[in-house]
Amino acid sequence: MAESFSVTRRYFDDKNYPRGFARHGDYTIKEAQVLEQLGQAFRALDLGEREPVTEEEKSFVAFCRGEHPAETFFEKVWKKYCSNISTAKRVYTLSGVVADNVDEFAGE
């Protein structure tokens, strides 16, 4: 029987994670390892570039098509990854109000 999510190379997303999944802080160590080791298969199955051969892969494709919510660890990791790359990265800044009269802000 074929092994689920077999790949020949590791997956890297230099655009969104130039320092790697593990060093970015969005994923646990296990999640980062799964993305790196199996991400090529996840991506190909999600995009329809690869036909599913095992029941696990068929379930993964059904999840990608929205036929059921993420149930397995692999599905949850891929959902998290897709969510992280599709949302704009938030940029936090510090800002303040410059006042001519500080007493206005003191309630006087």
Side-chain angles (χ1 to χ4, degrees):
M1 183 174 180
E3 183 181 326
S4 294
F5 308 110
S6 61
V7 292
T8 56
R9 58 191 169 110
R10 294 187 177 273
Y11 181 63
F12 299 101
D13 182 352
D14 292 332
K15 178 183 174 193
N16 296 296
Y17 296 96
R19 294 182 299 141
F21 298 113
R23 300 187 80 195
H24 196 273
D26 286 352
Y27 307 98
T28 65
I29 293 170
K30 186 175 179 181
E31 289 170 340
Q33 288 173 340
V34 165
L35 282 172
E36 188 177 318
Q37 293 170 359
L38 305 177
Q40 289 289 348
F42 293 165
R43 183 179 176 281
L45 288 164
D46 190 6
L47 296 176
E49 296 172 351
R50 170 178 167 164
E51 290 295 317
V53 292
T54 66
E55 288 304 314
E56 190 174 25
E57 288 182 355
K58 289 175 184 173
S59 176
F60 183 85
V61 170
F63 149 73
C64 291
R65 292 179 181 156
E67 296 173 12
H68 66 79
E71 297 168 346
T72 68
F73 178 73
F74 294 154
E75 292 167 358
K76 290 175 183 176
V77 170
W78 191 246
K79 178 182 177 182
K80 183 176 181 179
Y81 168 73
C82 291
S83 175
N84 285 346
I85 65 170
S86 68
T87 57
K89 297 290 182 188
R90 294 187 183 115
V91 177
Y92 297 97
T93 61
L94 296 176
S95 62
V97 177
V98 177
D100 292 334
N101 188 350
V102 178
D103 292 337
E104 290 177 18
F105 293 97
E108 295 180 18

